[in-house]
């Protein structure tokens, strides 16, 4: 396996529990990689859904993937401020130049005012039954949702003020150096 380094461009493959591709992202630039996490960013990147439909993201995003946490966190810059979109998902793995993980439906959305809401509980329950999520997966996903909410309430990690902005500035510097 080749070593991933800052400035590398990776693709993202998100799967469902049944092994089917759910969504892919064309390009994410590595900003940091360490024992705990991988941090990437993109700007108006192409996303392709399982049905083949694709679109460009609207703006800039900084993504935090973890080696031992069952979620990933995406800080999204929008007109009304910084939003977070958090996916309950397996820890990431790198396969060549691709980030891979399994998405478990539940999402935590954090708004610029600090409020948050859990989304897609019905989708989770439907897929849990359809794809026969084992009890162990169900337990881990629910526990990790609580851990994610706790991180948000304590404003630590990517939720800490200035963290996403700091990484986005690193991204802008990498892009400027590469052009």
């Amino acid at each position: 396996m080749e070593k991933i380094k800052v400035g590398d461009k990776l693709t993202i493959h998100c799967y469902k529990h049944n092994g089917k591709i759910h969504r892919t992202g064309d390009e994410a630039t590595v900003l940091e990689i360490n024992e705990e996490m991988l941090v990437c960013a993109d700007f108006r990147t192409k996303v392709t859904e399982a049905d083949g439909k694709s679109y460009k993201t609207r703006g800039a995003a900084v993504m935090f993937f973890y080696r031992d946490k069952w979620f990933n966190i995406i800080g999204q810059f929008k007109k009304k401020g910084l939003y977070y979109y958090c996916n309950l998902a397996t820890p990431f793995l790198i396969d060549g130049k691709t980030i891979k993980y399994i998405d478990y439906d539940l999402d935590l959305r954090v708004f610029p005012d600090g409020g948050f809401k859990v989304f897609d509980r019905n989708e989770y329950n439907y897929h849990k039954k359809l794809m026969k999520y084992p009890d162990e997966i169900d337990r881990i996903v629910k526990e990790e949702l609580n851990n994610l909410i706790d991180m948000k309430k304590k404003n630590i990690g990517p939720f800490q003020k200035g963290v996403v902005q700091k990484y986005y500035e690193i991204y802008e510097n990498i892009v400027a150096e590469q052009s």
Side-chain angles (χ1 to χ4, degrees):
M1 183 174 101
E2 64 183 278
K3 188 121 169 84
I4 301 299
K5 62 188 182 317
V6 171
D8 284 354
K9 292 183 184 347
L10 307 178
T11 56
I12 300 171
H13 288 184
C14 170
Y15 296 86
K16 285 298 185 183
H17 183 79
N18 61 7
K20 293 192 167 136
I21 196 83
H22 176 57
R23 171 180 299 126
T24 63
D26 254 15
E27 187 176 281
T29 301
V30 176
L31 307 179
E32 181 176 349
I33 185 162
N34 59 43
E35 295 298 314
E36 195 179 310
M37 67 181 178
L38 168 68
V39 183
C40 299
D42 65 26
F43 180 78
R44 294 197 40 78
T45 195
K46 182 181 174 187
V47 173
T48 305
E49 300 289 342
D51 63 7
K53 292 182 181 154
S54 64
Y55 59 90
K56 285 224 181 234
T57 58
R58 289 198 177 130
V62 176
M63 298 158 275
F64 300 82
F65 299 96
Y66 295 92
R67 293 189 192 276
D68 64 355
K69 293 177 177 23
W70 281 61
F71 52 79
N72 55 62
I73 300 171
I74 304 166
Q76 301 170 310
F77 294 99
K78 299 191 179 238
K79 285 181 183 156
K80 293 183 179 178
L82 179 61
Y83 288 78
Y84 293 89
Y85 193 89
C86 311
N87 298 295
L88 273 289
T90 59
F92 80 97
L93 63 84
I94 301 278
D95 182 4
K97 291 280 190 177
T98 303
I99 302 164
K100 294 182 175 182
Y101 63 90
I102 298 170
D103 178 84
Y104 280 101
D105 313 308
L106 291 174
D107 301 308
L108 180 73
R109 188 81 166 146
V110 180
F111 305 97
D113 67 1
F116 60 88
K117 184 175 180 183
V118 176
F119 284 91
D120 299 330
R121 287 185 193 272
N122 289 342
E123 182 183 357
Y124 175 79
N125 290 327
Y126 172 74
H127 283 145
K128 177 181 161 187
K129 191 174 180 181
L130 181 72
M131 296 184 219
K132 299 177 174 55
Y133 295 171
D135 291 344
E136 179 70 0
I137 296 283
D138 185 53
R139 184 192 63 73
I140 290 169
V141 167
K142 289 175 178 170
E143 187 177 295
E144 288 291 281
L145 175 60
N146 289 333
N147 292 340
L148 178 61
I149 290 169
D150 192 50
M151 274 179 76
K152 166 52 202 120
K153 286 180 176 175
K154 292 176 179 172
N155 290 320
I156 58 177
F159 302 113
Q160 185 178 344
K161 187 171 176 55
V163 168
V164 173
Q165 183 63 41
K166 174 191 87 167
Y167 278 111
Y168 190 69
E169 288 168 11
I170 292 168
Y171 173 69
E172 288 180 314
N173 289 336
I174 289 170
V175 169
E177 287 172 11
Q178 291 176 346
S179 57

